[in-house]
Amino acid sequence: MLSYSTQLIDEEDIAVVTEVLKSSFLAQGPRVTQFEKDLCAYTQAKYAVAFNSATSALYGTYSVAGIQEGDEIITTPISFVATSNMFVTLGAKPIWCDVKLDGNINEKQIEKLITPKTKAIVVVDFAGKPVEMSTIEAIAKKHKLLLIDDASHALGSSINGKKIGSFGDISIFSFHAIKPITTSEGGAVLTDNEEFAKKLRLFRSHGMRKKELWNSDMVSMGYNLRMTEVAAALGSSQLKKLNNFIEIRNKIAEYFDKRFQNKKLFLTQKLEMNTISSRHLYPVILNPELHCPKEDIFRELQERGLGVQVHYKPIYKNSFYQEKFGKVSLTVANDFYNSEISIPCNQTMSMQDAKYVADTLLDVLQKYSHRGCSF
Ligand SMILES: *Cc1c(COP(=O)(O)O)cnc(C)c1O
């Protein structure tokens, strides 16, 4: 099965992990510090704080940013649930902003959602495509709101040569197995704000500060959300290969773009000039006549060896959210959910694999295009 996204672990990765296992430090230590330095060097952000997952990193971010009961957070429903779960658990309310057909938040609709209770704007660079940062940064600045980028898809993406991770106030990356690089499980927060970085370091490790000899002082509430040395060593090793991964994924994506040009049955995600996408996902957006047979299309693609997936069910459609906040319905987000399928595009694929994916997709969509919807 060709997966929509998967890890690529090589002998060098295995060697560095083995070396850590033979060393004296296994929990957070010098390799975590090194991985954080590597992330800063790669993204040009000033501070990096590693966590055991992006979910933990989001929880840390929202907590140290002071998000609390009564706050409103403007965010996108087209994301993994953790993006909003971690501020909802702090008592804040999601204010859903509709998306565009590329899956990114519609920057033109953000400003009208701002109220005196708004505390932050949380965006997601869907599939690795950067959001409209200049517009959104200007809105955040004008209204004195925090801009948080859940960049879990977008390590290696950039706008005019400036890497995702260096925009807004805080960015979060995920190193889950199938994200742009992996530490097996892992995440990180990147920021230029020293105060946030200091608070995040305390937050991930019991709120404790070392003093002298045996003495330490717990100065704020904290948890154990630390990354392990094993994970960090794998992260540094993987980061060296990221540009190569991105090159391979982009080569496949550009081949798909060519093959799918002028196809009437679906759209693909167009990138803006001067941007690079990590191509974490390659989403195809089916035309309305293919919405009804989508389940059959999905099943047949899987039967023919394409490990496809749908990203994402709008977060507000989950029963927890419906029960807590009532029913919400946004036109484009709903439509996006009915339309989207992520097809295999990963760094383990050959161009022959890519050809098989394109041929199979076109064949299957053609087959179902005549069925349409029977209302
Ligand atoms: C994967 C993902 C997360 C969660 O990452 P974990 O490292 O698994 O906790 C959060 N947000 C987005 C957009 C993601 O894709």
Side-chain angles (χ1 to χ4, degrees):
M1 187 87 107
L2 297 166
S3 182
Y4 69 90
S5 180
T6 190
Q7 72 271 24
L8 177 54
I9 301 291
D10 66 12
E11 290 304 320
E12 195 188 351
D13 295 327
I14 293 168
V16 300
V17 166
T18 308
E19 196 190 310
V20 180
L21 290 172
K22 292 176 182 165
S23 76
S24 49
F25 271 109
L26 290 184
Q28 181 177 288
R31 286 177 177 87
V32 171
T33 308
Q34 184 59 50
F35 182 44
E36 291 172 341
K37 277 192 190 140
D38 295 344
L39 286 169
C40 288
Y42 188 84
T43 60
Q44 298 294 307
K46 277 196 190 145
Y47 306 98
V49 184
F51 279 83
N52 59 9
S53 73
T55 304
S56 301
L58 285 162
Y59 186 49
T61 295
Y62 298 145
S63 299
V64 306
I67 287 169
Q68 56 187 339
E69 190 84 41
D71 289 342
E72 293 180 352
I73 311 294
I74 296 172
T75 191
T76 170
I78 299 297
S79 183
F80 185 60
V81 289
T83 309
S84 55
N85 282 355
M86 291 299 103
F87 63 72
V88 169
T89 197
L90 293 169
K93 184 179 175 200
I95 304 297
W96 303 111
C97 182
D98 209 351
V99 296
K100 302 176 289 185
L101 275 181
D102 62 3
N104 276 341
I105 194 164
N106 189 337
E107 66 280 356
K108 294 196 181 77
Q109 297 193 19
I110 293 175
E111 214 163 3
K112 66 176 187 210
L113 299 173
I114 296 172
T115 75
K117 290 183 179 168
T118 309
K119 180 88 183 212
I121 302 169
V122 179
V123 298
V124 173
D125 308 288
F126 181 76
K129 177 179 174 172
V131 295
E132 280 296 330
M133 275 299 179
S134 53
T135 309
I136 301 171
E137 279 184 330
I139 295 169
K141 202 167 168 197
K142 180 176 157 196
H143 296 273
K144 297 193 170 62
L145 301 174
L146 279 171
L147 176 54
I148 298 169
D149 186 6
D150 179 351
S152 291
H153 296 187
L155 184 62
S157 300
S158 62
I159 305 170
N160 292 319
K162 187 168 150 56
K163 287 269 179 0
I164 291 295
S166 61
F167 292 91
D169 296 290
I170 293 188
S171 302
I172 293 95
F173 290 113
S174 171
F175 313 118
H176 172 272
I178 60 153
K179 295 292 159 80
I181 63 164
T182 189
T183 62
S184 68
E185 294 270 14
V189 179
L190 281 91
T191 182
D192 285 349
N193 183 319
E194 191 181 3
E195 220 32 58
F196 279 148
K198 277 187 183 159
K199 286 182 179 169
L200 284 161
R201 285 180 209 290
L202 285 170
F203 189 85
R204 76 171 166 190
S205 197
H206 310 290
M208 278 168 93
R209 248 188 218 137
K210 272 214 162 64
K211 295 183 96 178
E212 271 176 33
L213 299 173
W214 62 83
N215 192 12
S216 61
D217 190 23
M218 185 202 140
V219 296
S220 55
M221 184 46 73
Y223 298 78
N224 176 358
L225 306 174
R226 297 184 301 250
M227 178 174 271
T228 69
E229 288 288 272
V230 181
L234 179 56
S236 289
S237 179
Q238 284 263 300
L239 193 56
K240 286 194 262 173
K241 292 153 218 199
L242 175 59
N243 286 346
N244 181 239
F245 292 172
I246 290 177
E247 208 174 292
I248 298 168
R249 293 196 293 253
N250 267 283
K251 218 173 131 209
I252 295 168
E254 279 156 24
Y255 168 77
F256 285 161
D257 286 348
K258 261 199 216 105
R259 288 290 308 273
F260 301 156
Q261 233 172 30
N262 306 320
K263 295 292 172 214
K264 301 247 152 45
L265 295 173
F266 62 98
L267 300 171
T268 58
Q269 199 186 41
K270 301 283 177 293
L271 299 181
E272 306 303 325
M273 286 268 289
N274 301 321
T275 66
I276 291 174
S277 169
S278 64
R279 300 284 194 178
H280 166 56
L281 303 173
Y282 189 94
V284 304
I285 311 300
L286 304 177
N287 277 7
E289 67 262 32
L290 288 172
H291 291 181
C292 294
K294 185 174 167 183
E295 284 182 13
D296 291 331
I297 291 168
F298 190 92
R299 228 176 264 122
E300 179 153 350
L301 289 172
Q302 289 211 324
E303 277 161 16
R304 290 171 66 168
L306 270 59
V308 289
Q309 184 53 279
V310 171
H311 298 95
Y312 290 94
K313 173 159 137 178
I315 297 175
Y316 56 70
K317 278 187 186 282
N318 287 282
S319 50
F320 169 86
Y321 279 87
Q322 293 198 343
E323 279 157 30
K324 192 169 172 67
F325 299 107
K327 285 220 158 109
V328 177
S329 179
L330 294 177
T331 316
V332 184
N334 288 346
D335 204 39
F336 192 81
Y337 176 50
N338 291 330
S339 310
E340 203 269 355
I341 296 182
S342 302
I343 64 171
C345 178
N346 70 61
Q347 64 273 17
T348 70
M349 284 165 59
S350 65
M351 291 315 286
Q352 234 162 327
D353 293 332
K355 182 175 184 305
Y356 177 74
V357 170
D359 290 344
T360 308
L361 180 75
L362 292 173
D363 189 41
V364 172
L365 294 187
Q366 197 57 45
K367 177 174 161 188
Y368 286 95
S369 65
H370 307 292
R371 205 169 89 184
C373 295
S374 44
F375 293 108

